[in-house]
């Protein structure tokens, strides 16, 4: 499949590109700026321009699936959270509906299920992530929503835990590489369609965890 | 009907209380702070405490309808826009569904239909208002969404224009008093259920405009 990665220059996006290629997909890396093209190519992706606050439509040409992992980042304000993490995500979902791109994996966040229960500084972000995920869930797309716990840059382990009841707690960490590997595996695991999956570091090999062996 | 006004101390909320009483309703004014109780009573409302970032559930006791006109205001940041205008509104909608309070009028904003077409500084606000209104529309409630143009503190005229194609343009103004009067009239006009109504200052008497005489 041709898989468009929205946010290809982010922490998880960078881990996604080579893993999609390894899994036999054609990764397209959608970034805001041509200066990021080289980095996308270096990781095995075809770079394309897309602006989540403007035009990104051509970046989806030919895509069979989308992995959304764009975020306005921690250094911008809640205004960008509204425009990118929420409205940008909604617009990409709507564009996929319009174009018949049926498969959509969204990287959300632990805590998005109940934003007011989260730490106060994170709550506005969690509201945005929740509302974006709700829009995807209510769409006609085949969606999977991943809610990883705190992200690290540690090397991937190839193993995770999907424990829905919070084994390990919300403070458990997970390497970005393992979140990316899980997103890739979701594309090839039909039973993840329609699911919202909490994701922490763990000891179950990713494919087995997604097949229900966790 | 007992009508709970969420945001009773805001510009439109203050105009709503006496107009609801004049129309034969029992207005309940929901405010964040007990220091605002006196002002609510002065305008004919029964004051109750409700915190849109915390607990507001008791404020809805006995309500038959809700008018939502709360907003975090222009002096706070987009983080409060996410927590109050969006998440607070969603939570009030959900509470009404849980309690069987079927009638809900939301004061939204012109431009919420296409936030990216709005002036850049307003866009995050328009995204929040749009997503809140979508949540209401997708609920089981009997909803009416009002999208007024720029608000003024001028005296009410009792007349408006509902021109959907933007007669007068998005820069046309409307007194808060006329927005409030329109919200009250919506409660008594079944044909406004399920409608999103653009509202500007105009020359058609409000009841007639809502009956389709505009």
């Amino acid at each position: 499949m041709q898989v468009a990665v929205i946010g290809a220059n982010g922490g998880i996006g960078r881990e996604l590109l080579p893993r999609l290629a390894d899994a036999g997909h054609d990764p397209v890396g959608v970034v805001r700026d041509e200066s990021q093209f080289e980095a996308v190519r270096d990781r095995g992706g075809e770079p394309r321009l897309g602006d989540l606050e403007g035009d990104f439509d051509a970046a989806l040409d030919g895509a069979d699936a989308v992995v959304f992992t764009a975020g306005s980042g921690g250094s911008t304000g809640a205004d960008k959270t509204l425009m990118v993490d929420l409205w940008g995500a909604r617009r990409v979902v709507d564009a996929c509906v319009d174009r018949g791109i049926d498969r959509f994996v969204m990287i959300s966040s632990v805590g998005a299920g109940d934003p007011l229960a989260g730490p106060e500084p994170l709550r506005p972000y969690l509201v945005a992530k929740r509302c974006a995920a709700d829009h995807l869930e209510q769409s006609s797309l085949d969606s999977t929503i991943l809610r990883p716990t705190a992200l690290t840059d540690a090397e991937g382990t190839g193993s995770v835990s999907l424990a829905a009841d919070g084994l390990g707690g919300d403070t458990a960490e997970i390497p970005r590489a393992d979140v990316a590997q899980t997103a890739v595996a979701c594309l090839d695991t039909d039973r993840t369609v329609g699911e919202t999956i909490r994701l922490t570091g763990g000891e179950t090999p990713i494919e087995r965890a997604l097949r229900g062996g966790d």
Side-chain angles (χ1 to χ4, degrees), chain A:
Chain A
M1 293 198 291
Q2 186 185 106
V3 182
V5 176
I6 314 290
N9 202 42
I12 293 170
R14 282 192 292 263
E15 301 290 341
L16 272 163
L17 298 174
R19 285 174 172 81
L20 284 165
D22 284 350
H25 299 300
D26 296 323
V28 168
V30 183
V31 292
R32 265 172 307 193
D33 199 304
E34 287 192 20
S35 69
Q36 300 163 332
F37 275 22
E38 193 64 30
V40 170
R41 278 193 206 99
D42 284 348
R43 293 178 164 276
E46 178 197 331
R48 294 193 196 159
L49 273 186
D51 175 7
L52 290 181
E53 294 183 80
D55 192 27
F56 56 78
D57 218 47
L60 300 178
D61 277 346
D64 302 296
V66 163
V67 180
F68 186 94
T69 183
S72 58
S75 60
T76 58
D79 52 341
K80 288 293 177 190
T81 305
L82 273 158
M83 297 314 299
V84 176
D85 303 61
L86 174 47
W87 197 244
R90 276 186 56 144
R91 291 175 69 226
V92 175
V93 168
D94 291 348
C96 287
V97 171
D98 287 346
R99 288 168 163 261
I101 303 170
D102 287 330
R103 191 69 177 100
F104 199 116
V105 177
M106 180 180 283
I107 311 298
S108 187
S109 170
V110 71
D114 185 3
L116 282 180
E120 194 165 355
L122 273 186
R123 288 177 196 169
Y125 170 76
L126 295 174
V127 167
K129 294 301 277 185
R130 167 65 178 277
C131 294
D134 283 358
H135 189 72
L136 172 58
E137 251 186 327
Q138 289 158 7
S139 78
S140 56
L141 302 181
D142 292 337
S143 64
T144 305
I145 296 158
L146 296 179
R147 289 185 177 162
T149 47
L151 304 168
T152 74
D153 287 322
E155 211 166 321
T157 66
S159 294
V160 296
S161 169
L162 309 186
D165 60 357
L167 271 185
D170 283 355
T171 54
E173 296 181 335
I174 182 168
R176 288 179 172 85
D178 287 329
V179 176
Q181 188 62 44
T182 305
V184 174
C186 285
L187 293 172
D188 293 319
T189 312
D190 285 347
R191 75 191 299 275
T192 64
V193 170
E195 298 293 321
T196 295
I197 300 170
R198 186 181 177 285
L199 193 61
T200 67
E203 300 189 347
T204 310
I206 287 168
E207 271 79 14
R208 182 145 68 88
L210 292 180
R211 282 198 312 268
D214 187 43

